[in-house]
Amino acid sequence: MLEVRDLEIRYGPFLAVDKVSLEVRQGEIVGVIGPNGAGKSSVVRAITGLVRPTGGTVSFLGQSTLDVPVHELIRRGLSLVPEGRGLFPMMSVEENLLMGGYSLTDRSRRDELMASCFELFPILKERRNQLAGTLSGGQQQMVAVSVGLMGDPQFCIFDEPSLGLAPIVIQQIGETLQKMRQLKLTVLLIEQNAMLASSVADRIYIMSAGRMQFHDTPDRLMKNPEVIEKFLSA
Ligand SMILES: Nc1ncnc2c1ncn2[C@@H]1O[C@H](COP(=O)(O)OP(=O)(O)O)[C@@H](O)[C@H]1O
Ligand SMILES: [Mg+2]
């Protein structure tokens, strides 16, 4: 479904992403983990056309995503829940959701999607008229996920959904990601939290210093002594 080949990204002379390849097949949840500064968000930005790579290819459903505007990628079924959530804090929960669904011309589909977000996160239904900026961090993350779902995607990218959240809320995020499976969504999950990623992902890539270092199932990675020493023994 998504294929990234030999991606290279430079910021001026700085090589942030060095020949990174990864693949996500339909129906999978794939994790990319790695420390701060590894280049994870840069890969996401290249996939979603926000950064122009200096090398390599990205294809989504067999078509290149490079130089494709974001609204066209949404139309093709790709959705991004960005790092830091990207909400409009001075708008209500419902208004934020409507922004996520702005490209839908079918109003009944839009209403249906909003209903399913409220089913996924009942607290958001209760707080639909509250300003997004006044919600707790965990609730804001629920709004961010809902905004992504309102684009009616087949494929969702989550960039560090657990960032800055309390352990109990991180657990809820894990449960939410599992629900993406029931919704038949394909997911690329970017995380620094290796435990969260390995509890939901089918396969995991480990990235550091701009390179893909390992790639395996979570079970096998968690038993790999080199992985444990380098990435899990913080
Ligand atoms: N716009 C930018 N200009 C210059 N350097 C950047 C920019 N964005 C990211 N970087 C650098 O690229 C590296 C990778 O960043 P990023 O992709 O955000 O990593 P991660 O998401 O894994 O934390 C870091 O060293 C970061 O400082
Ligand atoms: Mg990042």
Side-chain angles (χ1 to χ4, degrees):
M1 190 168 205
L2 177 79
E3 213 175 318
V4 175
R5 282 278 163 268
D6 298 326
L7 194 68
E8 187 190 278
I9 300 167
R10 287 173 194 272
Y11 299 107
F14 177 67
L15 181 61
V17 172
D18 186 7
K19 296 246 181 315
V20 160
S21 297
L22 71 95
E23 189 191 351
V24 186
R25 296 184 284 261
Q26 182 132 25
E28 277 188 311
I29 298 182
V30 170
V32 176
I33 63 177
N36 200 18
K40 304 180 301 296
S41 292
S42 297
V43 170
V44 167
R45 280 184 232 126
I47 293 171
T48 52
L50 302 174
V51 141
R52 173 192 271 270
T54 46
T57 58
V58 177
S59 104
F60 175 62
L61 295 172
Q63 283 181 295
S64 175
T65 68
L66 305 180
D67 294 318
V68 176
V70 171
H71 63 86
E72 170 61 17
L73 293 177
I74 294 173
R75 202 194 55 77
R76 290 187 197 170
L78 189 132
S79 148
L80 169 66
V81 179
E83 188 177 327
R85 304 179 194 123
L87 299 180
F88 298 98
M90 298 305 283
M91 284 167 58
S92 72
V93 168
E94 186 166 339
E95 285 163 343
N96 271 278
L97 264 59
L98 289 172
M99 292 300 285
Y102 82 98
S103 66
L104 291 177
T105 45
D106 179 350
R107 277 187 90 124
S108 65
R109 180 66 186 143
R110 196 188 68 187
D111 295 346
E112 217 172 277
L113 285 163
M114 193 175 293
S116 72
C117 289
F118 286 153
E119 203 175 308
L120 200 56
F121 306 115
I123 186 77
L124 296 188
K125 187 172 190 179
E126 259 172 59
R127 310 224 157 153
R128 61 201 293 168
N129 296 317
Q130 197 169 319
L131 297 184
T134 66
L135 299 173
S136 72
Q139 289 162 359
Q140 289 191 29
Q141 189 61 52
M142 292 176 195
V143 178
V145 170
S146 300
V147 169
L149 295 178
M150 286 297 293
D152 206 5
Q154 315 174 45
F155 183 88
C156 271
I157 304 177
F158 296 95
D159 193 355
E160 302 223 25
S162 80
L163 200 66
L165 300 179
I168 177 86
V169 184
I170 293 176
Q171 194 184 325
Q172 287 166 9
I173 292 191
E175 287 160 17
T176 304
L177 290 165
Q178 291 291 7
K179 287 181 190 162
M180 301 295 129
R181 255 187 230 288
Q182 291 158 27
L183 297 172
K184 304 250 187 297
L185 289 173
T186 307
V187 172
L188 180 62
L189 170 66
I190 312 296
E191 262 300 333
Q192 272 186 66
N193 187 323
M195 287 306 147
L196 171 62
S198 45
S199 70
V200 296
D202 301 301
R203 293 186 295 118
I204 295 215
Y205 293 86
I206 303 184
M207 204 177 162
S208 81
R211 297 215 171 108
M212 259 339 161
Q213 309 284 359
F214 294 93
H215 163 222
D216 213 333
T217 60
D219 285 2
R220 282 201 293 261
L221 276 179
M222 295 297 149
K223 287 187 199 132
N224 181 330
E226 203 186 340
V227 169
I228 294 169
E229 195 203 317
K230 283 192 180 150
F231 298 102
L232 303 174
S233 58

